[in-house]
Amino acid sequence: TRLLEEVQRLKSIVQKLLLLATADAGRIAVHREPVDLGDMLEGIVEDMGILAPGLDIQSDIQAGIVAQADGDLLRQAVQNLTMNAVKHTPDGGKVRVCLRLQEGVIGCTVTNSGDIPPGDRARVFERFYRLDASRTRAGETAGNAEGTGLGLSLAREIARAHGGDVTLDESSPGAVSFTLHLPG
């Protein structure tokens, strides 16, 4: 069982590296179709609640937001953001997922309890960069204890392939927010 889990983890890493290499070449294939982001996020939030029962998972999802996007790629980007939040939130902490359409821009913001030290803020989107392990939850969920340091950079590349971006927002002390922006 452990060998199979390790093979799956390695397969996931290779797939992420291939997608990043494709992004570097400017050739991410985006197969656009209407994607109901509210439905997608509701499912992801439900999964988060199952994977992280020790956290207070909240959502504020505006209904009816549909993007012309590659649903599989976009799901991967949002899952990277949400799993990153879960991973770096201490037990008893809060994770909030918010979806809004404002002034023609779709914003999916994932906020979690915690902090990113000022020296790390500029580096969070670097490939293979990982925050100090002491800032992650004990007893990691879903076999994702170590991480690869690829999730945030991959989420950003997927957003950029859709004409958007992912940003680390200015947050209040004790909170970290990332927002995935897409054209509306």
Side-chain angles (χ1 to χ4, degrees):
T1 301
R2 287 189 180 189
L3 184 58
L4 182 57
E5 288 172 355
E6 184 64 15
V7 168
Q8 290 295 73
R9 189 182 76 79
L10 291 172
K11 179 181 173 186
S12 174
I13 291 169
V14 169
Q15 289 172 334
K16 290 174 184 176
L17 288 171
L18 287 172
L19 188 54
L20 286 167
T22 303
D24 287 345
R27 296 188 340 228
I28 290 183
V30 177
H31 304 288
R32 294 181 190 272
E33 61 185 15
V35 176
D36 186 325
L37 297 178
D39 284 349
M40 176 189 292
L41 286 172
E42 290 291 347
I44 290 172
V45 168
E46 184 177 323
D47 292 346
M48 289 170 55
I50 293 168
L51 292 172
L55 299 180
D56 178 10
I57 308 292
Q58 301 177 354
S59 64
D60 180 10
I61 298 173
Q62 183 178 338
I65 298 178
V66 176
Q68 288 295 319
D70 186 311
D72 292 335
L73 287 175
L74 203 51
R75 177 177 296 281
Q76 183 174 5
V78 173
Q79 284 176 329
N80 287 356
L81 294 176
T82 57
M83 292 312 295
N84 189 66
V86 166
K87 183 177 178 181
H88 292 285
T89 301
D91 282 328
K94 183 187 308 184
V95 177
R96 180 179 172 89
V97 178
C98 181
L99 177 67
R100 290 280 178 258
L101 174 62
Q102 292 180 321
E103 299 176 16
V105 177
I106 298 168
C108 174
T109 302
V110 179
T111 304
N112 65 285
S113 304
D115 277 312
I116 297 177
D120 289 325
R121 290 181 71 82
R123 301 189 63 197
V124 295
F125 291 106
E126 290 179 17
R127 293 173 191 175
F128 302 108
Y129 186 75
R130 295 173 43 212
L131 292 177
D132 182 347
S134 68
R135 291 180 180 31
T136 61
R137 290 167 21 105
E140 296 294 346
T141 59
N144 196 15
E146 295 182 21
T148 58
L150 295 174
L152 291 175
S153 60
L154 188 57
R156 179 179 257 183
E157 291 298 339
I158 290 169
R160 288 178 174 173
H162 284 83
D165 204 357
V166 173
T167 58
L168 172 57
D169 305 330
E170 290 299 322
S171 308
S172 59
V176 176
S177 291
F178 287 91
T179 300
L180 185 148
H181 309 273
L182 294 172

